[in-house]
Amino acid sequence: MQLSTNRGKLIFLFLLTLVFTLFGLGMMFASSGQAATVAGMFGSGSFWIGLLVVVFFGILGIPSLFSQIVQKRQLTLDKQGFRYGKPHSAGTDPELEIRWDEVEGMGLARVSRSTMVAMKLTSEGYERYESQLTGSTRQLAKANQRMMGEGMIALPATIGGGPKELVTLLGLAHGQYGPPEVREGYARAQAEAHADAEAVTHDPRAERPRTADPQE
């Protein structure tokens, strides 16, 4: 199965990233104007917050989003795992590969007012994932890990029909093709759901026909 990024969402996020970058620059200039000395400017909390915003959104976010707008990324799923990026790309923007047995769990996470699919990888899985990164993608992955936790990666909210649809699809694939303990848990959950559905179907109360109330 293949899913592509939504260019309309990418353009919206790109404009939003520009706004955040300008906001960060405004905080830096405001703190520099209020400080009497350079040392006073560097001692200002608002200066460092503004700098952090500019680095994350401006230096890391803007080039990444612009590159994705120019050339769409693609998510490809199969029984072994999934690949994300520009197909057959290499160099500074490689196609990243994650195997299902490297995924410990997943869910939705809010990062900078954007909902993303967050994944927890095994230590070996994260090392292999990190070895595939180059340039700005490596820096962006480090920033995501600092915000979400060790071994965590995030998939963009612009893939397919959105993060809720994506996490459902990935969860189904992980349950069927993940490590043995995950497959066993998925099979138990499916069996319990099937048993519950059967119980409701054969409940005599559910089959009893409705009769009209007796008339006076």
Side-chain angles (χ1 to χ4, degrees):
M1 179 177 289
Q2 292 181 337
L3 301 172
S4 297
T5 50
N6 186 314
R7 186 165 279 143
K9 290 182 179 179
L10 285 170
I11 293 173
F12 172 77
L13 289 176
F14 181 78
L15 295 175
L16 192 62
T17 300
L18 285 176
V19 171
F20 276 110
T21 303
L22 293 174
F23 177 74
L25 288 172
M27 291 183 67
M28 293 175 65
F29 284 126
S31 61
S32 64
Q34 294 171 0
T37 62
V38 174
M41 179 184 69
F42 287 128
S44 169
S46 60
F47 174 84
W48 292 107
I49 293 174
L51 180 61
L52 181 64
V53 170
V54 169
V55 169
F56 184 79
F57 290 100
I59 297 178
L60 298 177
I62 288 177
S64 175
L65 287 170
F66 182 76
S67 175
Q68 292 179 59
I69 291 171
V70 173
Q71 183 170 3
K72 284 186 175 184
R73 280 14 176 211
Q74 195 171 71
L75 182 75
T76 304
L77 294 87
D78 56 32
K79 294 182 179 181
Q80 283 70 47
F82 66 91
R83 299 183 303 278
Y84 173 73
K86 291 189 294 186
H88 313 298
S89 65
T92 58
D93 193 9
E95 187 178 31
L96 304 176
E97 180 189 25
I98 302 291
R99 295 198 298 260
W100 294 125
D101 58 5
E102 297 173 336
V103 180
E104 291 186 356
M106 67 186 74
L108 296 176
R110 291 281 291 176
V111 179
S112 302
R113 297 187 180 183
S114 178
T115 302
M116 297 183 177
V117 176
M119 284 189 174
K120 170 70 173 175
L121 302 183
T122 63
S123 55
E124 296 82 4
Y126 191 84
E127 287 178 7
R128 198 177 72 84
Y129 163 77
E130 196 172 32
S131 69
Q132 301 174 68
L133 302 174
T134 58
S136 61
T137 57
R138 182 181 293 272
Q139 298 302 319
L140 192 59
K142 288 182 178 179
N144 283 333
Q145 188 174 216
R146 282 195 294 270
M147 288 187 293
M148 296 187 297
E150 186 176 354
M152 299 292 293
I153 66 170
L155 293 175
T158 54
I159 300 175
K164 291 183 179 179
E165 177 184 295
L166 181 60
V167 77
T168 300
L169 180 62
L170 291 173
L172 289 173
H174 186 228
Q176 295 179 65
Y177 307 118
E181 62 274 13
V182 173
R183 295 199 303 269
E184 290 171 6
Y186 177 79
R188 278 197 306 271
Q190 291 292 98
E192 290 172 1
H194 181 71
D196 290 342
E198 287 288 319
V200 171
T201 302
H202 294 93
D203 187 344
R205 292 172 298 178
E207 298 177 353
R208 185 181 301 162
R210 283 188 166 186
T211 58
D213 294 333
Q215 299 294 320
E216 291 289 327

